[in-house]
Amino acid sequence: QVHLVESGGAMVQPGESLRLSCAASGSIFRVNLMGWYRQGPGNQRELVASIASGGSTTYSDSVKGRFTISRDNAKNTVYLQMSSLKPEDTAVYYCNADVVRLGMGLKSQNFWGQGTQVTVSS
């Protein structure tokens, strides 16, 4: 009933920029924490960045200064602006959100997007 739909993944060259988007839809009362994770070949899934409903953010050390996470609460959408991309940024990027569903009380549930491929290569 709650779905996260991602877009923006692509193949780019090192140094270029890319913006990922993820919109939550369905029976939603409130979207709390939202974040982006990634999983590269042979790697564990790792947190890239997160953003609370009030706007506070966290970043992985590997992307600090290069990536910016933001959100549009009215659209239940989270964005990841990626700049100065490096080959090591190549991964499947997953959107994640804690959602309070309509009629389900105050307890949030965690949802994942389908993942979108980002490839950084020359």
Side-chain angles (χ1 to χ4, degrees):
Q1 195 171 4
V2 173
H3 302 281
L4 304 181
V5 181
E6 297 153 307
S7 62
M11 181 177 178
V12 298
Q13 295 184 333
E16 294 185 339
S17 298
L18 201 60
R19 188 181 74 159
L20 305 182
S21 300
C22 172
S25 62
S27 185
I28 297 171
F29 175 73
R30 172 79 171 179
V31 180
N32 295 327
L33 187 70
M34 303 186 81
W36 289 95
Y37 292 73
R38 68 185 182 188
Q39 186 168 16
N43 298 134
Q44 300 270 346
R45 186 174 298 186
E46 64 176 355
L47 176 67
V48 177
S50 66
I51 182 167
S53 59
S56 61
T57 60
T58 61
Y59 294 93
S60 167
D61 288 341
S62 63
V63 307
K64 286 181 180 176
R66 299 188 298 119
F67 291 9
T68 301
I69 189 170
S70 61
R71 65 189 286 168
D72 185 335
N73 289 332
K75 297 180 179 179
N76 291 326
T77 299
V78 63
Y79 307 93
L80 186 67
Q81 177 65 239
M82 304 182 292
S83 300
S84 301
L85 283 162
K86 305 174 180 179
E88 50 262 46
D89 295 319
T90 295
V92 178
Y93 283 71
Y94 297 91
C95 177
N96 180 267
D98 289 328
V99 179
V100 178
R101 298 171 61 187
L102 288 171
M104 299 296 290
L106 300 179
K107 180 70 166 60
S108 67
Q109 294 176 268
N110 190 257
F111 295 90
W112 290 92
Q114 78 284 355
T116 184
Q117 178 70 49
V118 173
T119 301
V120 185
S121 176
S122 60

